[in-house]
Amino acid sequence: MDKQAFHRVVEKLILPLFTGSFIDGEEVSSSRDSEVAYGKQNSLLIKPNKLADYRLVLKRGQPFKMSEINLLKTIISEFNTIAELNLENENYKKTLQDQAIEKAICLSVSDGETAITMQGIISELNKWASRTYEGKKVELGIIINQAVNCSEDEQIHFSKVMTRDFFALLSDGKGSYIEFDKNGFLLGYVQSTKTRQPQTITPYMFENVAAFCNEKKIGITLTENGDILIFRNKSLMFSKRLGVWNVYSHDEIIQLLSNRGNYSLKDIRRSIYYTALDVSYGYSGGCLIYLNKDTAEQALTHINAHDILDERYYEIKRKQEIANASKLYNLHFLSQVEEMFKVPYQQFLVEQKCYKSQCIRKIINGKNFHELSRKLRQELVAMDGATVVDSDGTIIAVGAILKIEAGSEGGGRHAAASTLAKYGISIKISQDGLLKAFYYDKKSNKVKTLFTVG
């Protein structure tokens, strides 16, 4: 594969797989260097083969894991095999390359026999993703059980049943699944039960299937939106969304949410990330702000007093408003502000008719963000506006329409996330499911992307 072709492959097929990654130049290489290796500062060095005299620098916000390096090695090996065919039909070559990525993903979570079965099942799910049954989008759930082999008496292969219309009604991908063995023969039907506190890393609505999938069981789900999700070891490992495969690095992202602070509690960071995932797969969109310990009070300048849910932060905001009004040398305006804020917090909410804030305060009942149920957190963050949480997990505001800085670019959520990133980590979740986090880099005096999850 020549240099130009390798650049195209990386840009079109590999970068989208590792959401948020980009090519950050290249460096000289020799035959002693591996095709894939760690670089500096969250980067990977990749080249098409051992003999190439260059390596592209692949970079992103979060570190790359060893499993991702192994995945990339498999993908590059498959791409080289395709390149050796010297195909002239670009569409056919692209199809083979897409299949090579799926093959590499399957090999990364299973052995050879299971990987072949996985790839075949995913191929059938891709077909179901582009069609409807009785006017509705199809949801399907598959379990591949590597610990059990189908008896030879009644072997039914997935290829004989997954193409049939009736198959669309046999599972929903959340609580019910069709089970096959590693060779693709039908084992039966699985209905998962709700566990009380599943130790999973997955969107809330897929906790059941993730909890069911251990080292020997692989879950593959087709959602109503046409996404394909792969679960193993009680975790969402891969997803195919809008036709692009994504790799999940959950632990690394949870660590990044600390924003280099030693005060950040992992329970809070975990709840922030899990909620962002839940909103992502709820397709509602949302904006979630996680403030630094030393900048929370400064962030209040962008939040309306009517949206503040915590009495302590209301008192800080009250002083800010009066101080700002006094700087204008307008006695009439100052008296109006003082009159508004002279009452206690509870009375302020009543007099100012802050029905939303009163309602949410009643619902959260004094709990911190990480103490709420996942379902409630998802529904709060999905509200129009921003949810703002401090370093201790105190919920400062929900559904707040923030005062953004002049000249902010992008839509409302993007502008709000960029503005509040100066005070911590802000996460923007698009309605198409894309999750993007921002932070403020003091050295460059710019807001930068911390991580991106497809």
Side-chain angles (χ1 to χ4, degrees):
M1 190 185 312
D2 62 37
K3 191 172 184 177
Q4 187 177 4
F6 186 60
H7 263 274
R8 284 199 304 269
V9 164
V10 172
E11 289 174 353
K12 293 184 179 181
L13 298 174
I14 291 179
L15 293 185
L17 179 66
F18 301 97
T19 313
S21 61
F22 60 95
I23 297 175
D24 189 29
E26 65 178 66
E27 65 175 44
V28 176
S29 179
S30 71
S31 59
R32 296 189 301 272
D33 296 323
S34 174
E35 289 94 333
V36 185
Y38 279 118
K40 299 177 181 178
Q41 298 179 337
N42 300 343
S43 68
L44 285 183
L45 306 173
I46 63 173
K47 61 180 184 177
N49 53 65
K50 290 284 288 184
L51 298 178
D53 60 0
Y54 70 96
R55 292 194 292 188
L56 299 183
V57 181
L58 209 66
K59 201 167 186 179
R60 69 177 182 188
Q62 65 265 34
F64 289 89
K65 296 190 297 185
M66 182 55 69
S67 59
E68 293 173 322
I69 288 182
N70 294 333
L71 175 62
L72 260 177
K73 286 180 178 178
T74 305
I75 290 173
I76 290 174
S77 174
E78 292 291 329
F79 283 176
N80 278 322
T81 301
I82 295 170
E84 290 171 2
L85 298 175
N86 294 318
L87 299 172
E88 295 183 2
N89 188 318
E90 289 298 322
N91 290 331
Y92 182 51
K93 185 189 297 184
K94 174 65 167 56
T95 299
L96 290 181
Q97 289 171 338
D98 289 339
Q99 291 175 351
I101 289 177
E102 291 188 357
K103 179 181 178 180
I105 287 173
C106 294
L107 284 169
S108 71
V109 295
S110 61
D111 58 28
E113 291 179 332
T114 308
I116 294 171
T117 299
M118 277 187 69
Q119 198 172 3
I121 288 173
I122 289 172
S123 177
E124 295 300 330
L125 291 179
N126 281 325
K127 296 173 186 176
W128 275 109
S130 61
R131 57 175 292 195
T132 59
Y133 179 76
E134 295 186 350
K136 296 181 180 180
K137 285 287 188 177
V138 175
E139 297 177 273
L140 291 171
I142 305 295
I143 297 292
I144 300 177
N145 191 335
Q146 301 178 91
V148 180
N149 289 323
C150 178
S151 65
E152 297 182 2
D153 299 337
E154 297 182 4
Q155 290 189 337
I156 305 174
H157 199 256
F158 72 83
S159 59
K160 304 298 182 184
V161 294
M162 286 190 69
T163 57
R164 312 291 177 175
D165 283 351
F166 71 83
F167 196 81
L169 304 174
L170 295 179
S171 64
D172 64 10
K174 295 185 180 73
S176 58
Y177 320 92
I178 303 301
E179 188 175 30
F180 297 95
D181 69 9
K182 65 180 181 181
N183 296 307
F185 293 112
L186 181 65
L187 292 174
Y189 174 84
V190 175
Q191 183 173 347
S192 62
T193 56
K194 183 71 175 177
T195 53
R196 188 168 183 176
Q197 289 185 322
Q199 299 299 312
T200 61
I201 306 180
T202 182
Y204 169 78
M205 59 284 292
F206 300 107
E207 277 189 332
N208 286 358
V209 61
F212 188 76
C213 293
N214 52 28
E215 291 184 358
K216 293 295 184 181
K217 295 174 183 175
I218 300 168
I220 311 173
T221 292
L222 171 66
T223 73
E224 187 179 10
N225 291 78
D227 299 334
I228 296 176
L229 283 62
I230 298 177
F231 303 89
R232 193 183 179 191
N233 295 330
K234 302 186 183 301
S235 174
L236 171 63
M237 297 187 67
F238 300 95
S239 71
K240 186 178 185 180
R241 309 183 79 178
L242 301 176
V244 177
W245 281 101
N246 300 283
V247 181
Y248 287 88
S249 305
H250 305 293
D251 292 336
E252 286 77 7
I253 291 176
I254 292 171
Q255 179 59 37
L256 283 172
L257 285 170
S258 68
N259 202 18
R260 302 179 181 86
N262 56 13
Y263 55 81
S264 178
L265 297 177
K266 190 170 183 178
D267 283 348
I268 302 174
R269 284 185 272 125
R270 188 185 291 113
S271 69
I272 294 285
Y273 175 58
Y274 284 10
T275 301
L277 269 184
D278 295 341
V279 175
S280 171
Y281 278 90
Y283 295 97
S284 60
C287 183
L288 180 54
I289 315 295
Y290 182 36
L291 299 177
N292 293 336
K293 190 174 185 177
D294 56 350
T295 55
E297 292 186 14
Q298 296 171 254
L300 291 179
T301 59
H302 299 277
I303 303 173
N304 194 297
H306 298 75
D307 290 323
I308 292 178
L309 303 175
D310 182 79
E311 186 170 357
R312 178 168 61 93
Y313 282 105
Y314 164 78
E315 290 298 330
I316 298 170
K317 180 67 175 179
R318 180 179 67 81
K319 293 175 182 178
Q320 287 179 350
E321 290 291 324
I322 293 173
N324 290 334
S326 64
K327 294 176 183 177
L328 299 176
Y329 300 103
N330 186 326
L331 295 179
H332 178 66
F333 179 68
L334 175 60
S335 64
Q336 284 183 319
V337 173
E338 290 177 332
E339 180 68 22
M340 179 189 298
F341 286 104
K342 74 177 183 179
V343 298
Y345 176 55
Q346 296 283 4
Q347 189 175 340
F348 172 85
L349 294 179
V350 174
E351 290 184 359
Q352 296 297 314
K353 299 180 180 179
C354 303
Y355 300 126
K356 181 183 71 174
S357 295
Q358 288 177 292
C359 176
I360 293 173
R361 275 174 55 82
K362 189 78 171 178
I363 288 171
I364 64 178
N365 195 27
K367 293 181 178 179
N368 286 343
F369 188 77
H370 56 292
E371 296 170 335
L372 301 176
S373 70
R374 285 186 66 170
K375 185 61 175 173
L376 176 55
R377 294 200 308 255
Q378 176 191 345
E379 288 165 343
L380 292 176
V381 175
M383 292 177 62
D384 190 25
T387 296
V388 185
V389 180
D390 77 1
S391 60
D392 296 322
T394 301
I395 305 171
I396 298 176
V398 170
I401 306 302
L402 304 176
K403 299 174 186 176
I404 62 175
E405 296 176 343
S408 298
E409 298 179 353
R413 286 194 177 109
H414 182 86
S418 297
T419 297
L420 269 292
K422 291 186 176 181
Y423 309 102
I425 294 174
S426 56
I427 304 174
K428 172 207 167 191
I429 307 112
S430 304
Q431 285 188 318
D432 62 6
L434 182 66
L435 189 159
K436 197 166 188 176
F438 304 92
Y439 77 104
Y440 179 67
D441 181 32
K442 293 181 181 178
K443 290 183 179 179
S444 63
N445 195 30
K446 291 181 179 179
V447 172
K448 293 186 175 181
T449 300
L450 182 65
F451 61 80
T452 310
V453 180

